[in-house]
Amino acid sequence: MIYTLTLNTAIDMNIHCQGLTPNAVNRTSHTEYSPNGKGVNVSIVLHKFDSPTCALGFFGGFSGKYIIDELTKIQVKTKPCFIDDITRINVFINDNENEYKLVSKGPFIPNDKKTEMLTIIESLVNNSYLVISGSLPNNIESEYYEAILNLCNKKNIQVILDISHPKLSDLLSYKPLLIKPNDDEVKEIFGFETKTKPQVIAALENIHAQGARNILLTMGAKGLYFSNGTNIWFCNAVKIKLISSACAGDASLAAFLSEWLPEQQHIEKAIKKASATGANVAESDGLGLLNKINIYMDQLEVTLIK
């Protein structure tokens, strides 16, 4: 079982319009809503690929109920922790030339609900996997990650981390099974440039030395890298018309895990599937239809660079 944990769940509201003019009424051409939050996205895509998954998270108000209802409709299992505050709504506007991302901070999580979530995690099946993704809502400090990872260590739950928080560098001491930074996060959190292949190799080797056992480095249109501490692979990216990059990284991670777990084999297929899925999602609103993955995989090439 691959559990996912989204501490800051969301609804994504994708708006399309022809131009965006300040101080004027802007008419939209169409709007789409989707259940969201990084771990939620991972569970949806894992389910699409027939990988057993269950989504954990905080859910509140009409928006939280909407996410649970939508996940139930597509038969994604959930272990919700219900809160009184309202789950956030993020807004993405595409004016046919540019994309604008309006991301909300998130709801207030009371202390008793933080404890309740830890109890839920403690109830998870031993020897499983937990993907921890996304941002922290109000009243959850970065030390909460450590409480979660300590529980996972006790239950032999393998942890996959996809967080943008500076705390990520400290959490490497727990030796997570996999981390999935993008190139911006490698620079902001770890201080490494990734503009050239030698820079990428140096960055990955340093991050491994800090405790990461495996690293999936996504770089959008520039492709992605995977390192298992011994070898490093690179996969290019197919050219697409960008609609929204909001969910692409989450979908890439899910696609990779669907082939890589549990034996950590099928590395080249997992890398290609991650790149193809990310591209297919980026040319869509939300997660889209995920209907071009096999076509894109045939166009990709994986290279062993170390």
Side-chain angles (χ1 to χ4, degrees):
M1 176 64 74
I2 306 173
Y3 298 98
T4 65
L5 174 61
T6 310
L7 297 172
N8 209 2
T9 54
I11 293 175
D12 273 8
M13 181 179 180
N14 289 275
I15 300 172
H16 288 255
C17 58
Q18 297 298 317
L20 191 61
T21 305
N23 306 312
V25 175
N26 294 276
R27 302 292 180 183
T28 63
S29 55
H30 72 276
T31 303
E32 293 190 17
Y33 303 88
S34 56
N36 204 270
K38 293 178 71 65
V40 169
N41 290 332
V42 172
S43 275
I44 292 172
V45 178
L46 282 170
H47 180 72
K48 176 78 173 181
F49 294 140
D50 297 320
S51 294
T53 186
C54 178
L56 285 64
F58 294 108
F59 301 89
F62 72 97
S63 48
K65 182 178 184 300
Y66 169 84
I67 297 171
I68 295 293
D69 290 346
E70 291 300 301
L71 292 177
T72 300
K73 284 180 187 177
I74 59 175
Q75 299 182 322
V76 173
K77 296 178 182 179
T78 61
K79 283 183 176 290
C81 182
F82 293 105
I83 58 172
D84 292 331
D85 205 352
I86 296 174
T87 293
R88 63 187 177 143
I89 300 175
N90 297 325
V91 180
F92 300 90
I93 303 172
N94 190 305
D95 68 358
N96 210 32
E97 290 187 5
N98 299 295
E99 182 187 16
Y100 303 87
K101 304 178 182 182
L102 307 175
V103 178
S104 302
K105 186 175 182 180
F108 180 87
I109 309 298
N111 291 336
D112 64 321
K113 292 299 178 179
K114 291 190 286 186
T115 301
E116 183 177 333
M117 177 58 75
L118 294 177
T119 301
I120 292 173
I121 294 170
E122 196 169 16
S123 72
L124 302 183
V125 176
N126 291 356
N127 306 308
S128 53
Y129 302 92
L130 178 64
V131 180
I132 304 174
S133 300
S135 61
L136 295 173
N138 284 316
N139 200 43
I140 292 189
E141 303 299 330
S142 60
E143 289 74 19
Y144 194 66
Y145 288 129
E146 295 179 349
I148 295 170
L149 266 63
N150 281 323
L151 273 178
C152 290
N153 280 350
K154 291 178 182 177
K155 296 180 66 64
N156 196 30
I157 294 174
Q158 301 289 332
V159 173
I160 294 101
L161 292 173
D162 181 15
I163 60 175
S164 299
H165 200 283
K167 187 71 172 177
L168 176 60
S169 60
D170 296 332
L171 297 178
L172 296 189
S173 64
Y174 288 88
K175 302 188 184 307
L177 176 64
L178 175 72
I179 65 170
K180 194 213 74 64
N182 58 36
D183 46 349
D184 291 333
E185 290 163 346
V186 167
K187 183 175 181 179
E188 293 167 5
I189 298 174
F190 299 102
F192 296 108
E193 295 283 356
T194 54
K195 295 178 181 177
T196 66
K197 284 187 179 179
Q199 288 178 336
V200 169
I201 292 171
L204 294 175
E205 288 178 343
N206 189 288
I207 295 170
H208 277 301
Q210 296 181 49
R213 290 153 59 193
N214 297 276
I215 306 167
L216 181 64
L217 169 60
T218 56
M219 304 179 70
K222 294 179 287 185
L224 57 81
Y225 293 84
F226 173 69
S227 175
N228 62 6
T230 302
N231 299 114
I232 300 175
W233 292 263
F234 170 74
C235 184
N236 59 325
V238 296
K239 292 183 179 180
I240 58 158
K241 180 183 178 181
L242 177 67
I243 298 298
S244 176
S245 60
C247 304
D250 310 329
S252 291
L253 175 59
F256 181 84
L257 295 177
S258 72
E259 297 293 340
W260 188 63
L261 294 180
E263 293 89 3
Q264 298 170 38
Q265 298 174 350
H266 310 296
I267 290 175
E268 291 197 12
K269 185 178 180 182
I271 294 169
K272 279 189 178 182
K273 193 171 182 179
S275 183
T277 303
N280 198 187
V281 168
E283 63 183 352
S284 315
D285 283 320
L287 291 170
L289 298 176
L290 299 172
N291 59 349
K292 297 181 181 178
I293 295 169
N294 290 332
I295 296 172
Y296 289 165
M297 285 179 71
D298 289 338
Q299 301 174 22
L300 295 170
E301 183 178 352
V302 174
T303 307
L304 182 65
I305 65 169
K306 177 182 179 293

